[in-house]
Amino acid sequence: MCWGLALELYKYLVNTLKNDELTTTVGSNTANFQYSAFAFDASDAGSDTAVTATSAAAGTYHVDATKSTITFKYAKEMDESARQVANYTLDGKALPTGSKVDFVGDKTVVRITLPEGALSQSTQYKLGIKTDVTTKEGSKIVASLQTKAPVEKVITLADTVKPELASAIYYSGVETVEPGTKTDRLEVTFNEKLNGSISLTAAKDDFLVTVNGSEVKVASVQAVTSGDNKDRKLLLILNQEVNLSQAATVSIVDEDAQSDKTMAVKDLAGNKAKAGSSAVASNYKYNGAYAGSIADQAAATPVQNQIAALTNSSTQTQVEAARTAYTALTTAQKSFVTNEADLQTQEQRIVNAVVLTPAATYAVGTTAAGVQVSPAAQTGFTFELTNSSNPTIIDAYGKTVAAGTSTLTYTVTNTSSGKTSTKTLDVTVNAD
């Protein structure tokens, strides 16, 4: 037998139970195997860097849900078949149209990039590698040398579809709508559930509302807390009323055109609302909460006006009357009074203007010794002694002790508003 001659071995392949043919060359330094086994690691490496590192082992992989990429490392240098989109599958189907496959760094690391909007839900998918993928030497990639089955790995991918506006409708605060009925409420519905933790304050810039070609500013955005599909809806509060008979177009504004440059509205997977998507509100529905809000605002408006009429010349009676009217409102009604701080300012002015005078003339004598000193009473105010500058004349409790003068310090409280002011009163105690 000559060792330089090629020896063909048939019937048995190493590590297999099948009668597949194995071809080799005796005396050669390189074995030409027809198949090469490959398996993904049990768990995600956590980052692309971990996959592309020189020390990374074959099978290391990372799924970046935010970028819709799958990066993994083969055991050997691969040929161009490893970057052919047609050689990879998701759940047994071809990769979504627009997918890309590229080598990263060298020809052992491959990255699959799925197109934006390719996946409509966050769930597990089975990534498949067809046996048409081959190494540089020509070995076919398989999961097992025994079965020759294609490589498969269950991975979790995120929804990449941007939420879009599906419909819009006005709220009516009255059940019988007249030609001139107006509203400042507009409910929008998206085509999928929204993230419940989005910033509603920031969301108002996400929307553009136009009526008859003119923009109507969005004053605020509220969550819809009841009804069907409430987790797909938002309520837009307009900064002015519009007629229910006029159609309104609601559009999503590109975040680059927004004042804060940020799209606040997102779906459960974190995808931002699709700029340019729109819906038209040409109909309305009665909303009981809005009806109640209108009634509350009607009750609050006179109080708002009453406070607005107060000036630095207003009397204590006028200021206290405004406080009484405000106190009578319900919590919901008070929310429509936006100038209550102005009322507090006037209440503080009233208490600050109090001037203390002694309630009587005090003298030290047989009958006057130990008399309680106090300011003259004033309607709507109480006085609490906090200090006596000369306790040997008037003690800390306000009782006369001896002839002389002491300065008493009082906390003056307005019984209507609760506002306080610190005042002093000079009291002279006569010898007789």
Side-chain angles (χ1 to χ4, degrees):
M1 181 176 185
C2 180
W3 294 105
L5 298 176
L7 176 65
E8 293 186 347
L9 303 177
Y10 294 88
K11 307 301 182 183
Y12 299 101
L13 176 66
V14 177
N15 295 328
T16 183
L17 299 178
K18 292 187 175 182
N19 294 331
D20 292 311
E21 177 180 299
L22 169 68
T23 301
T24 187
T25 302
V26 177
S28 172
N29 292 328
T30 303
N32 180 23
F33 291 97
Q34 186 177 0
Y35 299 99
S36 181
F38 173 75
F40 286 97
D41 284 353
S43 59
D44 193 302
S47 69
D48 286 346
T49 303
V51 181
T52 58
T54 304
S55 59
T60 304
Y61 78 96
H62 173 58
V63 178
D64 190 327
T66 60
K67 297 179 181 178
S68 296
T69 59
I70 309 158
T71 306
F72 59 95
K73 185 171 184 176
Y74 283 108
K76 300 178 180 180
E77 186 174 347
M78 308 300 290
D79 68 8
E80 284 299 303
S81 64
R83 58 184 302 271
Q84 298 300 313
V85 174
N87 286 335
Y88 299 90
T89 62
L90 270 184
D91 284 348
K93 301 177 182 178
L95 295 182
T97 302
S99 297
K100 297 179 180 180
V101 182
D102 297 290
F103 289 122
V104 181
D106 59 28
K107 291 188 176 182
T108 64
V109 178
V110 166
R111 177 173 295 149
I112 300 173
T113 303
L114 303 179
E116 182 180 282
L119 305 176
S120 60
Q121 59 180 327
S122 299
T123 188
Q124 290 186 324
Y125 295 85
K126 185 180 290 184
L127 173 67
I129 301 176
K130 292 183 178 181
T131 57
D132 293 331
V133 175
T134 57
T135 66
K136 182 180 179 181
E137 289 79 17
S139 296
K140 294 183 177 181
I141 297 298
V142 294
S144 167
L145 294 176
Q146 293 180 351
T147 65
K148 313 300 186 304
V151 177
E152 293 181 333
K153 176 66 177 179
V154 176
I155 59 175
T156 299
L157 292 171
D159 165 17
T160 58
V161 177
K162 294 178 178 290
E164 299 183 40
L165 286 171
S167 63
I169 191 169
Y170 285 125
Y171 278 5
S172 171
V174 295
E175 295 187 78
T176 302
V177 173
E178 303 292 340
T181 303
K182 295 183 177 182
T183 185
D184 64 359
R185 300 288 198 273
L186 214 171
E187 180 187 271
V188 293
T189 301
F190 284 81
N191 62 346
E192 60 176 302
K193 293 180 180 180
L194 300 178
N195 189 318
S197 62
I198 64 176
S199 170
L200 296 177
T201 300
K204 70 177 185 178
D205 286 346
D206 294 356
F207 298 94
L208 171 66
V209 178
T210 56
V211 177
N212 289 339
S214 298
E215 180 180 357
V216 179
K217 294 288 187 181
V218 177
S220 63
V221 177
Q222 297 180 2
V224 175
T225 58
S226 62
D228 295 338
N229 298 316
K230 62 183 181 181
D231 45 9
R232 292 171 47 199
K233 298 177 179 180
L234 291 173
L235 179 62
L236 309 186
I237 312 299
L238 308 179
N239 72 346
Q240 66 185 71
E241 291 186 324
V242 298
N243 199 303
L244 286 175
S245 64
Q246 298 176 318
T249 300
V250 186
S251 304
I252 299 297
V253 180
D254 189 288
E255 59 185 343
D256 289 337
Q258 298 181 28
S259 58
D260 59 2
K261 306 296 182 183
T262 301
M263 185 74 74
V265 177
K266 301 175 183 178
D267 64 13
L268 296 178
N271 297 302
K272 298 176 180 179
K274 185 176 181 179
S277 70
S278 63
V280 176
S282 57
N283 206 346
Y284 56 84
K285 64 179 180 180
Y286 173 76
N287 183 270
Y290 182 38
S293 174
I294 292 174
D296 289 338
Q297 187 170 17
T301 298
V303 180
Q304 171 101 359
N305 295 337
Q306 188 175 0
I307 295 173
L310 296 177
T311 69
N312 288 339
S313 299
S314 297
T315 65
Q316 179 181 337
T317 299
Q318 291 172 322
V319 173
E320 291 180 353
R323 170 57 64 186
T324 298
Y326 179 81
T327 302
L329 297 176
T330 66
T331 300
Q333 291 166 349
K334 287 177 181 177
S335 68
F336 290 98
V337 179
T338 59
N339 58 353
E340 194 263 344
D342 295 337
L343 174 57
Q344 293 192 39
T345 299
Q346 290 299 320
E347 290 171 330
Q348 191 65 56
R349 176 183 65 82
I350 293 296
V351 74
N352 288 346
V354 170
V355 176
L356 302 185
T357 59
T361 299
Y362 302 99
V364 177
T366 303
T367 59
V371 170
Q372 181 70 49
V373 176
S374 65
Q378 297 188 44
T379 302
F381 298 95
T382 61
F383 310 102
E384 180 183 0
L385 178 65
T386 59
N387 186 61
S388 173
S389 66
N390 194 342
T392 62
I393 304 300
I394 301 176
D395 67 18
Y397 300 100
K399 292 290 186 76
T400 59
V401 177
T405 300
S406 180
T407 300
L408 305 182
T409 302
Y410 287 89
T411 297
V412 181
T413 303
N414 184 297
T415 56
S416 173
S417 66
K419 297 293 184 183
T420 63
S421 180
T422 300
K423 297 291 181 178
T424 59
L425 174 64
D426 293 330
V427 177
T428 298
V429 180
N430 298 320
D432 51 38

